[in-house]
Amino acid sequence: MRRGIIALAAAGLLAVTGLTACGGDDGDSGGTSSKKPKIGVILPDSKSSARWETADRKYLEEAFKAAGVDYDIQNAQNDKNAFQTIADQMLTSGVTALMIVNLDSGTGKAVLDKAKNQGVPTIDYDRLTLGGSASYYVSFDNVAVGKLQGEGLVKCLTDMKATKPVVAELNGSPTDNNATLFKEGYDSVLKPKYDSGDYVKGPDQAVPDWDNAQAGTIFEQMLTQKKDIKGVLAANDGLGNAVISVLKKNKLNGKVPVTGQDATPEGIQNILAGDQCMTVYKAVKKEADAASKLAIALATGKEPEAGLVNGKTNDTARDVPSVLLTPQAITKDNVKVVFDDGFLKPSEVCVGKYASLCTKAGIS
Ligand code: BGC
């Protein structure tokens, strides 16, 4: 029923904006072909993870420059009003495709709907906007990311021969659909352990806006209430580092395995030091390359190249054509991967006390 209504509404929009649907594809490519192609990108913030400014921006810029297409990449700095203002400015400036990493589904949807009404095709980059209207979604298999985190923690606890460990969970922002998917992934590994009595479920809390500082406060409270926490599922490297700082104060770092995500320089340093059990490497270059290929096709009124779109993701109201990539677990044993792939440079990680740790790990 709901789907039918949405389909009718979409058809209505197409009629009023005079767009033609191309071969049953719902990427509204027809309306923008006469304008000069220009791609707008709105990144979410620069504090919840190092990735947005150091990896995503860099790789997107490289791809747009290589294609010779005009672009404007801005960062909303976790401000939902700024997010809307940037989107309005981009639309007024005549972008012919818009890519967003939403701060939550509500404000994301407002932006996507506005773009759609103006005939501008859109991409949900990394984060899916629930009930939104993006033409495409480009991300990783985020449940798989969470599974790798859960499995990584189990491996570290097993290696440490932990018996009936109390496990704390520090989840990502409740407004980020990815955080929900990561949790689905790691809980699919941890819940059976809690149920069987192998592990004891400890505190389990979300960190608003992935705020790293708040994560420290939350974990400090967790540890005060439950002194025998023996493992921490932290949803990304920023949260993991906040946990590790608290563990250090309590002389528990290295004794309590902590997970992460994003293979940030800090996360890799924590892994080399033995304070972080694992991280998840998401090849952001591949994600940015896929998204920019799609954006360039949309911005120039073309169909995306065959084989690029490899799936569909339900956004609660419809299936969004998607590009979904595969994440990889990183531990001390295979930390070289992120350097060999060109994602990190030794100079970003192997400084100060980490220089000798890098040499030991074969990173030069
Ligand atoms: C991304 C993660 C990132 C987190 C915080 C998520 O949506 O997928 O890579 O660590 O947001 O920025």
Side-chain angles (χ1 to χ4, degrees):
M1 275 309 270
R2 205 160 156 208
R3 252 168 231 235
I5 291 165
I6 284 165
L8 279 179
L13 275 182
L14 287 179
V16 287
T17 53
L19 295 177
T20 41
C22 303
D25 166 353
D26 56 5
D28 304 336
S29 42
T32 55
S33 50
S34 54
K35 282 197 201 162
K36 186 170 182 287
K38 182 177 175 187
I39 297 161
V41 180
I42 314 180
L43 299 173
D45 68 80
S46 49
K47 290 196 182 137
S48 65
S49 171
R51 65 168 285 183
W52 304 115
E53 283 299 327
T54 61
D56 296 271
R57 180 188 287 273
K58 178 178 78 180
Y59 292 129
L60 288 168
E61 252 170 22
E62 280 172 11
F64 295 144
K65 279 189 186 150
V69 67
D70 218 2
Y71 64 90
D72 180 12
I73 305 178
Q74 294 198 42
N75 191 315
Q77 301 299 359
N78 197 32
D79 178 335
K80 293 180 188 109
N81 289 325
F83 192 94
Q84 311 256 13
T85 310
I86 294 169
D88 287 344
Q89 284 163 353
M90 286 181 172
L91 289 169
T92 310
S93 82
V95 294
T96 55
L98 180 65
M99 203 191 282
I100 65 163
V101 185
N102 74 45
L103 290 173
D104 64 18
S105 284
T107 49
K109 179 177 165 53
V111 164
L112 294 172
D113 288 353
K114 200 177 268 185
K116 185 167 183 164
N117 284 338
Q118 298 184 20
V120 175
T122 49
I123 296 173
D124 265 336
Y125 181 67
D126 200 71
R127 298 178 181 167
L128 182 67
T129 302
L130 298 180
S133 59
S135 317
Y136 292 95
Y137 168 52
V138 179
S139 193
F140 285 80
D141 177 340
N142 291 308
V143 176
V145 169
K147 268 197 194 136
L148 293 177
Q149 294 174 314
E151 287 161 3
L153 186 63
V154 168
K155 175 152 194 322
C156 288
L157 287 167
T158 309
D159 290 350
M160 286 175 142
K161 303 197 170 32
T163 46
K164 296 199 187 301
V166 174
V167 172
E169 296 184 28
L170 212 55
N171 313 302
S173 175
T175 58
D176 178 355
N177 181 57
N178 284 346
T180 311
L181 300 175
F182 302 146
K183 186 163 176 59
E184 186 185 323
Y186 50 75
D187 280 350
S188 75
V189 178
L190 296 175
K191 193 170 177 294
K193 298 267 179 203
Y194 301 143
D195 290 348
S196 66
D198 285 348
Y199 290 6
V200 179
K201 186 165 167 53
D204 180 354
Q205 210 173 314
V207 180
D209 298 331
W210 294 92
D211 184 321
N212 293 190
Q214 218 175 316
T217 313
I218 293 174
F219 184 67
E220 204 140 34
Q221 284 160 0
M222 286 180 170
L223 199 60
T224 312
Q225 280 153 20
K226 200 111 189 84
K227 298 211 166 25
D228 58 345
I229 290 172
K230 288 282 163 5
V232 184
L233 192 311
N236 80 355
D237 284 357
L239 307 188
N241 189 61
V243 169
I244 290 165
S245 303
V246 175
L247 290 174
K248 277 182 180 162
K249 274 202 248 164
N250 291 277
K251 303 207 172 11
L252 287 171
N253 55 309
K255 295 180 188 145
V256 176
V258 180
T259 63
Q261 167 179 195
D262 289 343
T264 61
E266 197 174 58
I268 297 296
Q269 288 176 334
N270 285 335
I271 288 181
L272 290 169
D275 292 341
Q276 185 170 325
C277 148
M278 61 87 69
T279 187
V280 178
Y281 171 47
K282 300 192 295 191
V284 175
K285 183 174 181 345
K286 284 194 189 144
E287 188 180 19
D289 280 352
S292 52
K293 274 187 197 155
L294 268 181
I296 291 163
L298 292 173
T300 50
K302 295 196 187 104
E303 288 294 312
E305 68 182 50
L308 182 60
V309 175
N310 64 359
K312 283 190 165 120
T313 310
N314 191 274
D315 78 349
T316 70
R318 69 194 177 111
D319 285 335
V320 190
S322 312
V323 181
L324 294 177
L325 302 159
T326 308
Q328 184 179 2
I330 299 293
T331 63
K332 222 179 199 176
D333 294 339
N334 68 344
V335 79
K336 267 186 98 217
V337 167
V338 295
F339 298 94
D340 292 347
D341 219 21
F343 184 70
L344 292 182
K345 291 197 225 45
S347 60
E348 293 169 289
V349 175
C350 309
V351 288
K353 66 173 181 177
Y354 300 100
S356 61
L357 294 171
C358 281
T359 313
K360 245 191 243 165
I363 305 154
S364 54

